[in-house]
Amino acid sequence: MNTVMRTTAALAALLAAGLAAPASALPVVIDFEGVGAEQGEGEFTGTATEDGFTLDFDEMFIALGSTSTPDFEIERSAGTDGVLTITKGGDLFGFISVDWEAEDDDEPNIDITLEGFLGAASQGADTFTTGLQAYTTFSAVDLAGLSLDRLVISADRDGGFSGAFDTVVLNDAPGGPSSEVPVPAAGGLLVAALGGLALMRRRR
């Protein structure tokens, strides 16, 4: 194989690697302000969308400034086993963190559980505990770095004791459609490869 052919093959391999290279995905913050403004405060069972994610509320309660924040936050409706399920149209994503707090300082410790799924299979769950009437940001532990297509959030509500959650932070997971280099970037790699090949031919 002559030099030009070897160089062409190397540049083709470089281009193929570039096309498959992961892009840096920015975190997406789900703050529930959109669904709160649309639905208002109160019990809610239904579907909403935010930043490309689908939020499926099942017997949940949208609260406004009931604890340490004036913004909308989410609780489980009293006397139910309500959950919030987050999906992204079949695309993969990852869980980064959630803000969680108790309704009153004198409440016992209460839990929030986030379980991640890929298809029908559970990938694991993170459970976070607090007794503080102030938001604490809890970062993923067992779910850290995992690719999910569904995240199910279950927040404790036991009698008069309950908690509220807000600011669920997600990101695009490796293998998802948005993890590939955009077409313009791939085009730039192709131009650079062809330019290098032409320069070598002129030198020969």
Side-chain angles (χ1 to χ4, degrees):
M1 185 183 293
N2 61 36
T3 303
V4 173
M5 292 179 64
R6 286 197 300 269
T7 303
T8 301
L11 291 173
L14 176 62
L15 178 58
L19 287 171
S24 56
L26 295 177
V28 176
V29 176
I30 307 296
D31 60 13
F32 307 106
E33 294 307 298
V35 65
E38 181 178 340
Q39 300 296 330
E41 187 173 24
E43 294 184 354
F44 179 54
T45 293
T47 301
T49 58
E50 185 172 337
D51 291 326
F53 288 85
T54 298
L55 314 177
D56 186 8
F57 295 82
D58 181 12
E59 296 185 315
M60 301 300 282
F61 189 91
I62 301 173
L64 179 59
S66 62
T67 47
S68 66
T69 172
D71 301 321
F72 288 104
E73 57 196 15
I74 307 300
E75 305 168 9
R76 171 186 283 176
S77 292
T80 75
D81 294 321
V83 296
L84 170 64
T85 301
I86 302 178
T87 56
K88 198 184 180 196
D91 290 349
L92 302 182
F93 62 92
F95 165 63
I96 298 177
S97 67
V98 64
D99 289 357
W100 172 236
E101 71 171 0
E103 290 285 85
D104 297 298
D105 280 331
D106 59 353
E107 289 186 4
N109 287 340
I110 54 175
D111 297 336
I112 185 171
T113 298
L114 301 96
E115 186 172 8
F117 292 84
L118 188 58
S122 173
Q123 302 301 295
D126 281 329
T127 297
F128 306 115
T129 303
T130 188
L132 300 177
Q133 189 186 7
Y135 271 117
T136 301
T137 298
F138 293 96
S139 298
V141 180
D142 290 342
L143 296 181
L146 298 183
S147 295
L148 314 171
D149 60 17
R150 179 163 45 107
L151 182 68
V152 179
I153 303 177
S154 176
D156 265 1
R157 185 160 195 151
D158 182 12
F161 301 118
S162 64
F165 64 92
D166 198 358
T167 316
V168 179
V169 182
L170 310 169
N171 68 352
D172 292 316
S178 55
S179 67
E180 296 180 358
V181 173
V183 172
L189 287 171
L190 178 59
V191 170
L194 293 176
L197 182 57
L199 180 60
M200 287 198 62
R201 284 177 174 170
R202 283 199 301 268
R203 286 180 175 175
R204 286 174 60 86

